[in-house]
Amino acid sequence: MKLITAIVKPFKLEAVKEALLALGIEGMTVSEASGYGRQRGHTEVYRGAEYTIDLVPKVRLEVLVDDTNVDPVLDAIVAAAHTGKIGDGKVWVIPVDSVTRVRTGEKGSDAI
Amino acid sequence: MEFNTGDTAWVLVASAMVLLMTPGLAFLYGGMTRAKSTLNMMMMSMATIGIVTVLWVLFGYRMAFGHDGNGFSGGFGLANIGADSTSGVAINGTTALTIPVIAFAMFQLTFAIITTALISGSIADRTKFFSWCIFAVLWVTLVYFPVSHWVFDFGDINGNGAGWLAKRGLQDFAGGTVVEINSGVAGLAMAIVLGRRVGWRKDPMRPHNVPLVLIGAGLLWFGWFGFNAGSALGANHLAALAFMNTQIGGAAALIGWLIIEKLRDGRPTSLGAASGAVAGLVALTPSCAYVTPAAAVVIGLLAGVFCSLAIGLKYRFNYDDSLDVVGLHMVGGIIGTLAIGLFGANSVNPAGVDGLFNGGGFGLLKIQALGVVSVWVYSFVVTLAIGYAIHKTIGLRISRDEEIEGVDLSEHAETAYEFDGRGGGGGGVGSVFTGSHKEEGNY
């Protein structure tokens, strides 16, 4: 089992969700996040005073998948979140030791 | 005596409109602060409503408009508002008021409230709330009441007991000196006494809620019709002229400000639109009933352009006038007050005097300048004295740690928003009801 974490532009969330639904992925966790990468934020001007806003709003998606699903899910997220412009985000995958569904007590793949 | 019902009705409505400006100001200011200090910012305005109203009823009205004083101040002692509510007084030393004195007292009260509240914009994020309340008491008593007497009190029906600037013929219809310059200069003095915020010019201090700023600006604009047109103290031609010129001033300055932003910064902003409107409304406050609508366009544009340039000066002089009270109210007030000396037109207002551009020479301009300088100096000196007196005794400023954590939390034990513990608010994830109520004796 793997945990796929994706940081994407907020307006791409819907596209990513649809792409994952199409793959039969049944659950995910989404949270608002902020940060910066190479794009280093943007500039805002208030009454002539310029502010560099380096923490840009992003969305963080977390999806638990079986090992066999890793590549299709990863590719689907990247394809759906891609704009080609700076600030598109990142996706990474880490191994998961155990998963338990709270309601039933199911473990492992059954709990995903 | 007989009162004019139309005049009375208008002044009562105008009083309610002007009172609404103070919550409107709270929104304007509250939206411009960071999220961690917005409640304190709004509370400084709200508390002023309470404090100034009580003082006005106790002794303030008599200090401002009692005819038993001199040119510098009205009388001292209990105001007894209502005791003489059926007697008429004069509005300019010759014309009898057509409304009950108690309506006039209510109307002028709302001016004292918002003028005091305006100062709070320069001391955002870092002021002890109790000290602000003490400041409001002292400032409105030692500065506002006398200065409003200087300018607004034309004495009784024979002109006895009039303020010294009113006697000299200063033209200030709704308070360019009394309200705008007075509060702007006081804001400057308090910014100097308090010092700069932690992280000024380093940390981002952008407005946390610009839509709230726009709501505030809208309420102010609406209330300003009561402020300016209500100052005619009757439902008449002057009220209509002031009403129209108020609208023109706000509109022209809005455009002027946005043009400067477009040229200087590349993009016009919504905060700029709100700021420009306020700048123009400020400039038309003294001048609205003394100039033609065409002149109001020019005055509004001047205010929009010069106020937007003036707010940058705080970075050059390195004082933290947090929400630009000086750049808007002091500068706009000076522009509007002096503009009467240039654009004043006897043709639109029989009580008005022709200014320089209407063949009146420099006479009026000199009186206007006298009004500007005397109010500026008096307000600056006395406000500095009050500020330092509080600073040296009970202290004006919260601690550095409290300021970083947020003045809302340290002064009010409240936070405006739930941020899940991020960004300066508790109350979200992790907040726990302790099961105790103060009234159960758990003090």
Side-chain angles (χ1 to χ4, degrees), chain B residues 238-407:
Chain B
L238 271 191
L241 177 69
F243 209 112
M244 184 76 219
N245 283 346
T246 301
Q247 172 67 12
I248 294 169
L254 185 156
I255 295 170
W257 192 295
L258 292 185
I259 289 172
I260 291 294
E261 283 194 334
K262 177 69 184 163
L263 295 176
R264 184 187 58 195
D265 310 325
R267 291 187 184 87
T269 67
S270 49
L271 181 62
S275 310
V278 171
L281 294 162
V282 166
L284 267 296
T285 293
S287 56
C288 57
Y290 295 117
V291 300
T292 62
V297 175
V298 178
I299 296 170
L301 277 173
L302 286 174
V305 168
F306 281 101
C307 290
S308 66
L309 297 174
I311 56 167
L313 291 175
K314 66 180 179 182
Y315 298 111
R316 186 158 305 170
F317 292 112
N318 218 18
Y319 64 89
D320 184 5
D321 169 19
S322 316
L323 310 181
D324 300 307
V325 185
V326 180
L328 283 175
H329 296 276
M330 189 192 90
V331 174
I334 291 173
I335 290 172
T337 306
L338 294 181
I340 304 167
L342 303 175
F343 297 100
N346 174 259
S347 56
V348 296
N349 179 350
V353 178
D354 280 335
L356 184 63
F357 297 158
N358 288 318
F362 284 94
L364 181 58
L365 191 59
K366 278 186 204 158
I367 296 168
Q368 298 301 106
L370 174 71
V372 168
V373 171
S374 51
V375 172
W376 200 103
V377 171
Y378 180 79
S379 180
F380 188 74
V381 171
V382 179
T383 308
L384 265 189
I386 297 170
Y388 277 117
I390 297 174
H391 195 48
K392 298 287 177 200
T393 50
I394 57 174
L396 259 180
R397 196 164 169 159
I398 57 176
S399 75
R400 186 188 158 84
D401 286 352
E402 287 169 333
E403 189 179 328
I404 290 168
E405 198 175 5
V407 66

Side-chain angles (χ1 to χ4, degrees), chain A residues 32-34 42 44-49 51-53 55, chain B residues 32 204-207 264-265 271 275 311 315 323-324 328:
Chain A
E32 289 176 30
S34 54
H42 60 263
E44 296 181 8
V45 180
Y46 294 97
R47 282 187 175 169
Y51 296 105
T52 303
I53 312 299
L55 294 176
Chain B
M32 272 194 283
M205 294 183 177
R206 56 182 172 151
R264 184 187 58 195
D265 310 325
L271 181 62
S275 310
I311 56 167
Y315 298 111
L323 310 181
D324 300 307
L328 283 175

Side-chain angles (χ1 to χ4, degrees), chain B residues 36-54:
Chain B
K36 64 182 181 180
S37 44
T38 184
L39 290 177
N40 172 258
M41 194 68 245
M42 299 176 88
M43 268 295 278
M44 285 198 274
S45 285
M46 298 309 286
T48 304
I49 298 178
I51 292 166
V52 174
T53 300
V54 172

Side-chain angles (χ1 to χ4, degrees), chain A residues 39-79:
Chain A
Q39 97 265 30
R40 268 289 183 184
H42 60 263
T43 305
E44 296 181 8
V45 180
Y46 294 97
R47 282 187 175 169
E50 200 172 278
Y51 296 105
T52 303
I53 312 299
D54 54 7
L55 294 176
V56 183
K58 296 285 173 190
V59 162
R60 177 173 56 217
L61 277 117
E62 289 161 305
V63 190
L64 283 165
V65 293
D66 272 328
D67 290 351
T68 52
N69 267 342
V70 170
D71 285 337
V73 167
L74 189 71
D75 294 344
I77 292 174
V78 171

Side-chain angles (χ1 to χ4, degrees), chain A residues 5-54:
Chain A
T5 303
I7 307 291
V8 301
K9 288 182 168 169
F11 74 92
K12 279 294 186 183
L13 176 61
E14 281 305 312
V16 173
K17 263 167 61 185
E18 279 168 23
L20 295 188
L21 268 175
L23 282 176
I25 300 298
E26 289 175 327
M28 69 177 70
T29 304
V30 176
S31 43
E32 289 176 30
S34 54
Y36 62 81
R38 279 192 210 151
Q39 97 265 30
R40 268 289 183 184
H42 60 263
T43 305
E44 296 181 8
V45 180
Y46 294 97
R47 282 187 175 169
E50 200 172 278
Y51 296 105
T52 303
I53 312 299
D54 54 7

Side-chain angles (χ1 to χ4, degrees), chain B residues 31-92:
Chain B
M32 272 194 283
T33 60
R34 287 169 290 176
K36 64 182 181 180
S37 44
T38 184
L39 290 177
N40 172 258
M41 194 68 245
M42 299 176 88
M43 268 295 278
M44 285 198 274
S45 285
M46 298 309 286
T48 304
I49 298 178
I51 292 166
V52 174
T53 300
V54 172
L55 296 182
W56 185 254
V57 172
L58 289 177
F59 61 85
Y61 175 73
R62 187 163 169 191
M63 268 187 86
F65 293 102
H67 297 146
D68 52 341
N70 49 41
F72 182 78
S73 170
F76 297 103
L78 268 182
N80 272 328
I81 291 179
D84 60 348
S85 63
T86 53
S87 72
V89 293
I91 22 182
N92 56 14

